[in-house]
Amino acid sequence: MISEKNFNEIKSAPPIISSRIELVNTRDIVNVKASLMRKIIAETEENHDAEKIIGSIDFVEFKKVMTDMILDVCPDFPINDINILPLEKTRFYKEYGLIPEGHAQYSSLENVIIVDYYRLKKLFPDSINDKIIHCYFHEQVHAVSKVVCRYGTYESNIVRMGYMYQDGDDELFRMLDEAVTEKMTREIIAKYKEAKQVTASNDHQGAYDESIALLDEVIKKISIKMGVDESAVWKKIQCEKIIGMETGKTGFIDELRKIFSNEFVDNLSRDNLRVALKELEKF
């Protein structure tokens, strides 16, 4: 439980930590805030070129596509609770900023999307517009995911975002969550481009292809074993990512253990994707 002292500190502190995060057992809020300030805010840099690309998005249409997708898979989700971030909640990192890997990230603690424009420009000079928009949509899917954080200090924490679970340095189901996020992203982009009457491209530069192939195989096998349509399985997976595991119901990971095996789930949790995919052949 949060002590009265720390609770009062939280109430009186500047809004450094996003209000959508559930904080539990915060023992040293001052150090947490200082670490966040150093690690997340200090190295950001606005960039006009990248801002123009993000600004070219028809945000009204994008928000409609995102909202329709969420309500399709979670019909009872309160529409006002959908955490679609406005364009001004986007940040751009310097060339050697705070993203050691990857092209973008969603900061659940600050509730902002951060794009590494310089790295994307180097890697995809001929398709930089499409790549930034793709990354932006991908991070928006992370933003609408269920997020829970429990903190001792910044270095000792438990974070659950979608299906990803992090306990200190131990990270589980990261690629599963990325696969679900990317599969949703590709569907959202296709619907957005259809609405804008723009030709959709299937060129994703191999982003998360291996993890999506595993996810598709899991969906297919669950569909066969349970006698339900693949679309119904996929909707349930998306819904749990967005709202978290419902009280009194079996979660997706628990169902995987029942349908397949603990060994399969353990390999999936550790991102041993090729081993996990090989194990699926047994079922």
Side-chain angles (χ1 to χ4, degrees):
M1 298 293 293
I2 299 176
S3 70
E4 183 177 352
K5 177 178 183 293
N6 281 342
F7 181 72
N8 289 332
E9 287 176 347
I10 292 171
K11 287 199 301 182
S12 62
I16 291 176
I17 299 175
S18 165
S19 60
R20 80 179 293 252
I21 302 302
E22 176 186 340
L23 289 175
V24 183
N25 194 29
T26 303
R27 296 190 297 273
D28 193 352
I29 191 67
V30 175
N31 287 342
V32 173
K33 288 171 15 183
S35 294
L36 291 176
M37 187 71 77
R38 290 194 305 271
K39 293 176 182 289
I40 297 176
I41 297 175
E43 295 293 331
T44 58
E45 176 183 272
E46 301 295 332
N47 183 284
H48 284 299
D49 290 341
E51 283 180 332
K52 286 180 182 178
I53 296 170
I54 298 292
S56 71
I57 296 170
D58 182 340
F59 194 77
V60 172
E61 189 60 51
F62 164 71
K63 189 171 182 178
K64 180 180 183 303
V65 170
M66 283 283 286
T67 302
D68 288 348
M69 178 273 294
I70 291 172
L71 295 181
D72 181 46
V73 300
C74 303
D76 299 326
F77 194 86
I79 192 168
N80 292 332
D81 290 346
I82 300 174
N83 189 50
I84 299 174
L85 302 185
L87 295 174
E88 59 266 23
K89 297 278 282 185
T90 307
R91 304 287 183 269
F92 302 97
Y93 275 135
K94 294 180 181 179
E95 182 173 0
Y96 299 104
L98 298 177
I99 305 181
E101 297 179 2
H103 308 137
Q105 73 179 44
Y106 165 65
S107 168
S108 58
L109 295 165
E110 279 295 308
N111 200 28
V112 296
I113 290 170
I114 308 167
V115 178
D116 192 338
Y117 169 68
Y118 295 97
R119 179 174 291 179
L120 283 166
K121 190 174 181 179
K122 284 183 177 180
L123 292 174
F124 310 108
D126 299 325
S127 56
I128 183 62
N129 287 37
D130 285 343
K131 293 305 175 185
I132 284 185
I133 291 173
H134 189 107
C135 287
Y136 178 79
F137 281 22
H138 180 99
E139 301 309 324
Q140 285 278 14
V141 176
H142 279 307
V144 300
S145 302
K146 174 69 174 179
V147 176
V148 176
C149 298
R150 292 178 175 84
Y151 282 89
T153 65
Y154 189 87
E155 289 75 18
S156 175
N157 61 74
I158 296 174
V159 179
R160 185 182 292 276
M161 185 165 69
Y163 287 103
M164 190 278 291
Y165 179 84
Q166 182 176 352
D167 185 355
D169 292 331
D170 195 14
E171 196 172 64
L172 303 175
F173 298 108
R174 183 180 69 86
M175 290 309 299
L176 172 63
D177 186 65
E178 290 293 354
V180 175
T181 300
E182 179 63 15
K183 187 175 174 68
M184 292 171 68
T185 299
R186 295 181 186 185
E187 293 179 0
I188 289 166
I189 288 176
K191 290 177 181 177
Y192 173 80
K193 289 191 173 183
E194 181 182 2
K196 297 298 294 179
Q197 297 183 328
V198 176
T199 302
S201 171
N202 292 320
D203 179 18
H204 303 291
Q205 294 290 329
Y208 304 114
D209 281 352
E210 186 178 24
S211 54
I212 288 178
L214 175 58
L215 175 62
D216 286 343
E217 189 64 19
V218 167
I219 292 170
K220 178 181 177 180
K221 287 187 177 291
I222 291 176
S223 169
I224 294 171
K225 285 181 174 292
M226 299 187 71
V228 297
D229 289 340
E230 290 184 24
S231 60
V233 178
W234 174 226
K235 280 185 178 182
K236 182 174 181 180
I237 293 170
Q238 293 175 82
C239 187
E240 187 172 324
K241 174 177 170 60
I242 294 166
I243 68 173
M245 190 171 71
E246 295 180 83
T247 303
K249 293 189 178 181
T250 303
F252 176 57
I253 301 301
D254 291 327
E255 287 186 353
L256 290 182
R257 293 188 187 279
K258 288 165 55 180
I259 295 172
F260 303 113
S261 67
N262 286 331
E263 185 179 5
F264 167 74
V265 173
D266 288 344
N267 278 297
L268 182 62
S269 73
R270 300 290 177 182
D271 296 341
N272 297 326
L273 302 186
R274 293 180 184 178
V275 176
L277 188 57
K278 190 71 175 175
E279 287 178 0
L280 277 183
E281 297 175 3
K282 303 174 186 176
F283 301 97

